[in-house]
Amino acid sequence: MDFRRVSLIALPYAWLLLLFLVPFGIVLKISLSDYALSIPPYTPTLDITGGWPAIRDFLGQLDVENYVFLTEDDLYWKAYLSSLRIALISTFVTLLIGYPLAYAMAKAPREWQPTLLMLVILPFWTSFLIRVYAWIGILSSQGYLNQTLAFLGLEPVTVLNTNVAVYIGIVYTYLPFMVLPIYATLEKMEGDLIEAAQDLGCTPTEAFWRVTLPLSRPGIIAGCFLVFIPAVGEFVIPSLLGGSETLMIGKVLWEEFFNNRDWPVASAVAVVLLLILVIPIVLFQKNQEKEQE
């Protein structure tokens, strides 16, 4: 047996076990527990120290009342649907903005591309919270946006504490995750294909729709997944930029954990959210495998 090969293969599985499966098992265990006024604020229904008999009794009397509660309260399924809607719209808007940027970067002169790429990555050098707080200064009632409108003689607008502000924050934050994979795909595309399409009678617009866009599909899919998956569970942006009417599951999850201190329900919310996100994650991995093949 080649131990070096086994150790090389075992390393990512050990990483997955320690950083995903073990935390997920802990959260799943808490979600099957009962709420209690204690520290921590739950009573475990599974005692591993009891051995196999305790585990067998636990499986025979599985307590899923927290998951049943999620289906009975409208708040939770509305939060899931609202999160999916906001994530889908944000992903679509990010694609509309990110694709032209990536296309322009790929078509720019070769000596300018590293500079343009650095400008896209540059926001990552600043703290995420600082960038979100900066939008508060821009979108507030006395912010730079309304000051500019007043200078132009226009009426002020209310953007902060609305869903529009949440869309702006998500699109701004995750735009590089859309631009970079699309740029990587377009940059590798052979320019001779466009010339061949035009030689065969295609106009530049037709060549784009028939050649460029289909060949850039892997980058579009990767970018959409990289934006959609974290946007569904986003918490900071709706908390800082959204108002009381902004309902997202990440915000509900935080309130259950820290305000209500109902860890079993909060863990059930987290487990269901993870199961929802497993679908796009699996699809993203399948797309990556096809692209590598």
Side-chain angles (χ1 to χ4, degrees):
M1 179 181 295
D2 190 348
F3 290 99
R4 290 181 298 178
R5 179 178 300 179
V6 173
S7 61
L8 183 63
I9 297 175
L11 184 61
Y13 285 99
W15 183 273
L16 180 64
L17 176 65
L18 293 176
L19 298 183
F20 176 75
L21 294 181
V22 172
F24 176 74
I26 295 173
V27 173
L28 180 62
K29 176 187 175 183
I30 297 176
S31 70
L32 299 173
S33 303
D34 297 324
Y35 175 75
L37 294 174
S38 61
I39 300 176
Y42 65 92
T43 302
T45 56
L46 172 62
D47 185 9
I48 302 179
T49 60
W52 171 245
I55 298 177
R56 183 179 56 193
D57 294 339
F58 169 76
L59 295 176
Q61 300 176 353
L62 200 59
D63 187 3
V64 294
E65 61 179 1
N66 294 317
Y67 294 94
V68 175
F69 177 73
L70 297 184
T71 63
E72 296 174 346
D73 195 328
D74 295 346
L75 171 67
Y76 300 101
W77 65 264
K78 287 182 179 179
Y80 284 117
L81 293 179
S82 177
S83 298
L84 292 174
R85 175 177 58 82
I86 292 175
L88 284 172
I89 296 176
S90 300
T91 302
F92 179 71
V93 175
T94 306
L95 177 61
L96 292 180
I97 299 175
Y99 194 96
L101 288 176
Y103 185 82
M105 290 171 57
K107 294 301 181 181
R110 182 70 62 176
E111 62 271 13
W112 281 97
Q113 290 185 11
T115 303
L116 296 174
L117 189 61
M118 185 193 69
L119 292 177
V120 173
I121 303 175
L122 194 61
F124 289 113
W125 296 3
T126 308
S127 170
F128 171 71
L129 283 176
I130 293 178
R131 286 184 281 136
V132 176
Y133 271 112
W135 278 105
I136 298 178
I138 296 174
L139 302 177
S140 62
S141 58
Q142 302 297 325
Y144 294 112
L145 175 61
N146 282 328
Q147 290 180 13
T148 303
L149 294 177
F151 176 78
L152 298 175
L154 301 176
E155 293 292 328
V157 295
T158 302
V159 180
L160 191 63
N161 297 327
T162 64
N163 285 343
V164 176
V166 176
Y167 291 131
I168 293 174
I170 293 177
V171 171
Y172 164 76
T173 301
Y174 295 110
L175 184 61
F177 294 100
M178 181 68 73
V179 173
L180 294 178
I182 297 177
Y183 165 75
T185 303
L186 292 173
E187 196 270 336
K188 293 186 296 185
M189 191 176 64
E190 296 291 340
D192 296 340
L193 298 175
I194 304 298
E195 295 179 2
Q198 293 178 351
D199 291 340
L200 293 174
C202 286
T203 63
T205 303
E206 291 176 340
F208 172 79
W209 288 105
R210 295 187 177 187
V211 179
T212 304
L213 189 62
L215 291 178
S216 62
R217 187 172 63 90
I220 294 175
I221 295 175
C224 289
F225 280 134
L226 290 175
V227 173
F228 175 79
I229 292 173
V232 172
E234 182 58 54
F235 156 69
V236 175
I237 294 175
S239 296
L240 297 180
L241 301 181
S244 58
E245 297 181 357
T246 302
L247 187 61
M248 293 192 71
I249 196 63
K251 189 176 179 181
V252 173
L253 181 61
W254 188 90
E255 291 176 351
E256 289 291 349
F257 259 116
F258 296 101
N259 290 348
N260 300 336
R261 291 188 58 81
D262 193 342
W263 287 19
V265 171
S267 299
V269 172
V271 170
V272 174
L273 176 61
L274 179 62
L275 294 178
I276 293 175
L277 293 180
V278 161
I279 298 175
I281 290 174
V282 171
L283 293 177
F284 174 71
Q285 291 179 341
K286 294 294 183 182
N287 176 73
Q288 292 297 102
E289 292 176 359
K290 290 181 179 179
E291 184 178 356
Q292 291 177 358
E293 291 177 358

